Amino acid sequence: MRRHIRESDGNEVLFVARVDSDAMVCEATAAAHGHRSAVPAPPGHTERGDIVIHNHPTGGLTPSQADIQVAASLAAGGIGSFIVDNEVESLYVIVEPVKQRASRQLDVQRLCETLAPGGELSRIYKGFEPRDSQLQMLTAVAEAFNHGRIAVLEAGTGTGKSFAYLVPAIQWAGQNEERVVISTATINLQQQLVEKDIPQVQKMLGSRERAVLVKGRGNYLCRLRLNEVIEEAGLFDERLEDLHALRAWAESSAGGSRSELPFMVGDTLWSRVNSDADACTGMRCREQQNCFVLRARREAAAARILVVNHHLLFSDLALRVRGVGFEQAAVLPPFQRLIFDEAHTIENSATSFFSRSFSRFSVAKLCGRLYRTTRQRSHGLALQLQRLSADQQSWQELPQRVDAVTAGAETLNQLTLSLLDSGKGSLRLTEALPASVCGPLFAELAELQSRVLALVDYLALRIRSLTEEDQERPEVYEARQILRRLEDIAALCRQMRDYADQPATVYWVERRAASGTAFVRLIASPVEIGPVMVEAVYDPFETVIFTSATLTVNARFDFWAKRVGLDGDDPERVILQSFPSPYRFEHQVLLAVAQDAPAPQDSGYLGYVSEFVTELLTLSEGSALVLFTSYGMLDAVFAVVKPHLEAHGLTVLRQGDDDRARLLNAFTADAASVLFATDSFWEGIDAPGQTLRVVVLCRLPFRVPTDPVLQARMDLIQSRGGSPFAELSLPEAVIRLRQGFGRLMRRADDRGVVAVTDSRILSKPYGAVFLNSLPQTARSFKSSRPLLADVENFLFP
């Protein structure tokens, strides 16, 4: 260590050290070199139990504020921090490293006893029923924790899968002092876990391990941004009343979460005052002591069980893969074991968060943080930096350069919208595009790239001219973050022009709308998530559990496993198991398919569906969920059916007429109601009992093949000699259908009908794959009249 310091002219050197069984430093590697007063602390060089050591050339060992901040960050990953003098003779310990120790394995038999007859669950839950499939799943999860496995576990409805993984997860976290993350797709399941299931399991196990629901930073108010908006607002600004109400609420709020607000705040205003990664300076912020996000992160760091959604988890993993590493805090504190519930949605969630994108709005937002004008007054970070500069005149071009970037983004936006005017909602960059499209588009991408980089270089040069002391200020840190984000946008502009050189990525644009205004998003998405999953999930984490009620197609895991990069993996580490539902589907569910339904492409199909749905729901007296695959078909059928059903005293609800939560509350509160829905309503709805006795699946849920990411994935399969339909479109639709089917049976005593009005499930050879993937039920495959008679006899025996 002394030799490295001498060779660095006595400047600061950062070492990564390891300790032996006697807690003595036995190995030290130089990881970074700095100057007389600072050295970088690069991520990714350390593991839990290591020590980061750096020297103070002055000889004084008192840690600086920066030393303490870095040490606190490293400590979250179990890494110690020491300071030495240049002769490595004096030592100051900021944080001791975590001592490594062997894991204590779970007692699988003892854990199974908690869910068995006579166990803890039977004593605290009056409606207890023993479930063999639940005990089998608990055993699989516990063994995965004990032996460091990846377990893919399909658990049929009613298995009790949350208890089957919570019991071993909470026990493991307690006895091994390791953090376990549980990730779900829906807020409903997150709330059920945190408010109901986890407290019950803790009571059963006598555990006091803390569990926390972790939300994304956008859910929290940022005091700094709120104050900025209030300062910029004019005396007669219509937002002023809401802004002052937010400020008053922030003074008394413990959590600062939007969900805790006692009054409504619109999305537009909230987006101006919530915490934003691009505008956050973290520990450098003058509001850090009162920061709601940091408070939430401290709570998460103090917990051993974290409940998150897939999007938040993948945002955390994306940061780790891009350089933060797996032993330090990113969005989440470091963790060792990972459980994915609702794992059938993993591919979409991972694709979303490992995609990169920008729009004119995101460019304008970043530029606005740097410089903006309101009511003839100028604001922004760049003006704060200008005040620190010794050369005020060199900043005169700033407004024009910022305007040039926002104008370039707007020109690109308008051009791309004109290219989509033929009615397309998206456009994929391929060699099939004519020069009349590529030429203008690529020219504007190049122009925007040039303008963005010119602005970045202009500001970076002026930031470098600031004093060393000023360069440590929060506003400089935030400005650098924004410049890095602008550089990312410039890089994406270049990559979109060179799309042909990057076959692993699909580059595309999509039309969106905000407040009635059309705009485009330019996006780069991974064609396959398997390689990302290996790097971000399978390699770094010892135990990974995937579970859902719908992971198999035709009783095989092949499709799902291949989509997430688990095909052909180590059979010793990857375990695939399916646990059947304890429900008696053959007695409680009738699968009804109309043999005389026209094919979906026939002109008479919409008329047939409208008439059939009217008769079916009149017969059932409501209590129905009608699921579509497109809004167009939903609206057309709804317009015909609604008057007839209302004439029979039924309440008719439609997705889009109210927000999702209120719509579901209205539906579940009225047994004589009918809900027409599409998209997200195929899954995540829990309406047990008389509320839901009929589910109508109007069309087999094949995805529209115009989706650019789907197109790219189909092309990849084709290029490898496979069948895009058999390997992607069909199995994806089967899992989607199984989700829709699963809306009916939510409790052991539920009973009802699933009606399918798409005759392809009977007439096409692939229909057998759909039918074989559903539970064994009572069945009626007849023409409409006798089919409706069977439905009536089943519902009203």
Side-chain angles (χ1 to χ4, degrees):
M1 291 172 72
R2 278 194 294 269
R3 177 171 56 81
H4 270 287
I5 293 169
R6 282 198 299 269
E7 290 173 355
S8 298
D9 297 325
N11 289 313
E12 289 198 18
V13 180
L14 181 138
F15 300 90
V16 174
R18 288 172 173 77
V19 295
D20 60 20
S21 58
D22 296 322
M24 297 294 291
V25 173
C26 61
E27 177 186 339
T29 304
H33 300 78
H35 51 63
R36 297 293 293 178
S37 58
V39 64
H45 287 257
T46 53
E47 297 179 0
R48 189 175 181 83
D50 287 350
I51 305 169
V52 168
I53 306 175
H54 76 285
N55 59 304
H56 275 189
T58 61
L61 303 188
T62 302
S64 66
Q65 185 63 32
D67 290 336
I68 292 173
Q69 289 174 356
V70 171
S73 175
L74 293 170
I79 299 160
S81 298
F82 294 178
I83 300 173
V84 296
D85 62 354
N86 277 16
E87 295 303 315
V88 198
E89 293 176 346
S90 300
L91 174 70
Y92 187 98
V93 177
I94 307 175
V95 177
E96 292 280 6
V98 169
K99 294 180 181 179
Q100 296 283 54
R101 62 181 185 180
S103 297
R104 291 174 53 202
Q105 292 206 342
L106 298 172
D107 183 337
V108 181
Q109 182 177 346
R110 170 69 189 94
L111 293 181
C112 284
E113 289 173 357
T114 65
L115 301 183
E120 285 83 348
L121 180 60
S122 66
R123 290 196 287 271
I124 67 172
Y125 185 56
K126 291 182 179 179
F128 171 80
E129 292 180 3
R131 306 175 190 180
D132 289 341
S133 54
Q134 185 181 52
L135 297 178
Q136 292 165 10
M137 181 176 170
L138 184 153
T139 299
V141 173
E143 293 291 353
F145 272 88
N146 282 344
H147 303 294
R149 290 175 180 161
I150 298 171
V152 181
L153 310 174
E154 181 179 74
T157 306
T159 300
K161 61 181 170 62
S162 61
F163 274 50
Y165 64 69
L166 284 174
V167 169
I170 291 174
Q171 184 66 28
W172 180 275
Q175 72 182 38
N176 288 292
E177 298 182 3
E178 285 190 356
R179 189 174 288 112
V180 180
V181 169
I182 301 167
S183 182
T184 81
T186 62
I187 188 65
N188 289 343
L189 180 53
Q190 291 164 48
Q191 291 172 338
Q192 175 190 318
L193 290 172
V194 172
E195 297 170 8
K196 180 183 175 184
D197 294 350
I198 290 175
Q200 284 190 329
V201 172
Q202 289 172 323
K203 184 177 180 181
M204 288 162 44
L205 298 177
S207 169
R208 294 185 178 181
E209 294 305 325
R210 190 172 181 186
V212 171
L213 172 61
V214 185
K215 303 176 185 178
R217 66 163 61 243
N219 289 282
Y220 295 97
L221 181 74
C222 173
R223 296 175 189 269
L224 193 66
R225 296 188 75 202
L226 172 63
N227 291 335
E228 286 180 355
V229 175
I230 290 175
E231 288 171 10
E232 292 179 23
L235 187 60
F236 301 104
D237 193 311
E238 60 183 15
R239 304 169 302 171
L240 210 52
E241 184 178 347
D242 285 341
L243 289 170
H244 284 299
L246 278 169
R247 177 183 275 175
W249 169 77
E251 293 304 315
S252 60
S253 174
S257 171
R258 187 180 186 182
S259 63
E260 300 168 8
L261 276 169
F263 51 90
M264 288 293 295
V265 172
D267 291 343
T268 302
L269 179 57
W270 183 256
S271 69
R272 294 289 309 279
V273 300
N274 67 342
S275 179
D276 185 300
D278 290 328
C280 182
T281 56
M283 299 300 290
R284 293 173 173 83
C285 180
R286 63 175 179 267
E287 292 283 355
Q288 62 160 298
Q289 295 299 324
N290 301 310
C291 177
F292 292 121
V293 171
L294 290 180
R295 189 178 300 172
R297 288 191 172 179
R298 285 193 292 270
E299 289 181 4
R304 291 263 168 74
I305 303 293
L306 302 183
V307 179
V308 304
N309 64 35
H310 294 338
H311 287 271
L312 184 66
L313 174 66
F314 279 113
S315 68
D316 175 86
L317 297 178
L319 286 176
R320 297 184 185 283
V321 168
R322 291 168 187 163
V324 171
F326 290 84
E327 295 295 333
Q328 299 185 52
V331 176
L332 303 172
F335 54 97
Q336 293 76 42
R337 314 279 165 164
L338 179 56
I339 297 172
F340 289 96
D341 202 340
E342 300 176 313
H344 60 281
T345 64
I346 288 297
E347 185 178 22
N348 288 339
S349 296
T351 300
S352 173
F353 255 99
F354 287 100
S355 293
R356 294 163 290 128
S357 68
F358 74 91
S359 69
R360 73 175 179 89
F361 289 117
S362 59
V363 172
K365 176 183 169 185
L366 292 168
C367 287
R369 290 296 301 160
L370 294 172
Y371 178 83
R372 60 193 179 276
T373 57
T374 55
R375 297 179 179 84
Q376 287 77 53
R377 293 172 57 197
S378 298
H379 309 272
L381 288 168
L383 294 182
Q384 298 175 43
L385 303 188
Q386 183 179 359
R387 296 186 194 106
L388 303 174
S389 175
D391 184 5
Q392 296 289 309
Q393 294 299 314
S394 68
W395 293 78
Q396 287 184 347
E397 295 180 21
L398 174 67
Q400 295 92 325
R401 289 180 181 269
V402 170
D403 288 346
V405 171
T406 55
E410 180 56 38
T411 301
L412 176 61
N413 182 72
Q414 293 301 325
L415 170 72
T416 312
L417 280 173
S418 70
L419 298 176
L420 294 170
D421 271 348
S422 59
K424 292 182 177 179
S426 60
L427 177 73
R428 177 186 166 205
L429 300 186
T430 69
E431 294 178 355
L433 286 177
S436 59
V437 172
C438 292
L441 177 60
F442 289 178
E444 290 303 331
L445 283 167
E447 179 62 24
L448 179 59
Q449 176 189 350
S450 175
R451 295 184 184 193
V452 168
L453 291 178
L455 174 62
V456 169
D457 291 343
Y458 177 85
L459 284 171
L461 178 64
R462 280 144 188 81
I463 290 173
R464 287 196 296 271
S465 71
L466 300 177
T467 66
E468 282 191 19
E469 182 181 356
D470 283 341
Q471 291 199 30
E472 295 299 317
R473 295 173 68 98
E475 55 267 39
V476 177
Y477 179 82
E478 183 181 348
R480 286 196 177 111
Q481 286 188 135
I482 291 172
L483 296 187
R484 283 194 290 270
R485 181 71 183 97
L486 287 170
E487 286 178 322
D488 291 342
I489 290 174
L492 187 50
C493 288
R494 175 183 56 78
Q495 291 160 358
M496 294 194 84
R497 303 199 318 277
D498 299 333
Y499 71 90
D501 299 333
Q502 300 160 82
T505 304
V506 52
Y507 293 92
W508 54 294
V509 298
E510 69 168 349
R511 182 199 305 271
R512 301 288 291 271
S515 302
T517 302
F519 69 98
V520 295
R521 249 190 358 136
L522 297 95
I523 310 165
S525 300
V527 178
E528 296 181 289
I529 69 160
V532 171
M533 291 292 287
V534 170
E535 183 181 12
V537 178
Y538 309 142
D539 284 351
F541 298 109
E542 283 207 38
T543 299
V544 184
I545 310 293
F546 294 99
T547 186
S548 168
T550 55
L551 294 178
T552 61
V553 175
N554 220 353
R556 296 182 62 87
F557 286 96
D558 303 32
F559 166 70
W560 183 88
K562 188 172 185 179
R563 298 310 307 164
V564 300
L566 280 177
D567 56 317
D569 213 294
D570 181 2
E572 290 296 317
R573 188 177 182 219
V574 180
I575 307 301
L576 308 171
Q577 285 185 263
S578 184
F579 307 101
S581 169
Y583 295 163
R584 300 167 64 237
F585 285 93
E586 65 275 16
H587 300 291
Q588 295 170 272
V589 177
L590 173 67
L591 177 63
V593 183
Q595 292 176 321
D596 56 347
Q601 65 270 23
D602 288 358
S603 58
Y605 179 65
L606 275 176
Y608 169 82
V609 171
S610 299
E611 181 180 349
F612 181 84
V613 167
T614 300
E615 294 191 37
L616 173 61
L617 302 191
T618 302
L619 179 156
S620 70
E621 301 173 1
S623 304
L625 174 65
V626 188
L627 293 172
F628 299 85
T629 58
S630 73
Y631 288 96
M633 184 180 177
L634 185 159
D635 290 340
V637 174
F638 180 83
V640 174
V641 173
K642 181 183 179 185
H644 296 284
L645 297 183
E646 288 183 334
H648 285 82
L650 302 179
T651 303
V652 187
L653 307 169
R654 173 174 56 176
Q655 180 182 353
D657 288 347
D658 204 343
D659 74 39
R660 179 186 171 96
R662 282 195 290 268
L663 204 59
L664 286 175
N665 286 338
F667 176 60
T668 55
D670 184 358
S673 64
V674 177
L675 175 57
F676 287 71
T678 184
D679 195 27
S680 61
F681 283 75
W682 282 74
E683 56 186 273
I685 293 179
D686 194 6
Q690 293 300 303
T691 296
L692 182 57
R693 293 182 295 125
V694 175
V695 174
V696 184
L697 308 177
C698 292
R699 192 164 181 166
L700 297 180
F702 289 106
R703 227 180 347 149
V704 180
T706 54
D707 176 80
V709 178
L710 180 61
Q711 285 179 345
R713 288 171 175 166
M714 294 174 76
D715 287 349
L716 181 64
I717 293 171
Q718 187 88 46
S719 70
R720 293 171 175 171
S723 165
F725 179 78
E727 295 180 33
L728 182 56
S729 298
L730 175 60
E732 191 177 68
V734 169
I735 285 182
R736 189 73 164 160
L737 185 87
R738 293 186 64 199
Q739 280 291 320
F741 178 95
R743 296 314 94 211
L744 183 66
M745 286 289 293
R746 309 307 298 170
R747 290 180 184 166
D749 57 352
D750 283 347
R751 177 182 174 86
V753 174
V754 176
V756 181
T757 59
D758 189 335
S759 60
R760 291 178 297 176
I761 199 170
L762 300 178
S763 63
K764 297 292 185 180
Y766 59 73
V769 181
F770 285 98
L771 294 174
N772 292 340
S773 299
L774 296 175
Q776 292 298 312
T777 66
R779 292 182 173 185
S780 177
F781 300 163
K782 299 177 180 178
S783 58
S784 300
R785 286 290 148 216
L787 182 71
L788 288 169
D790 285 352
V791 168
E792 184 173 20
N793 290 334
F794 190 85
L795 290 177
F796 307 104

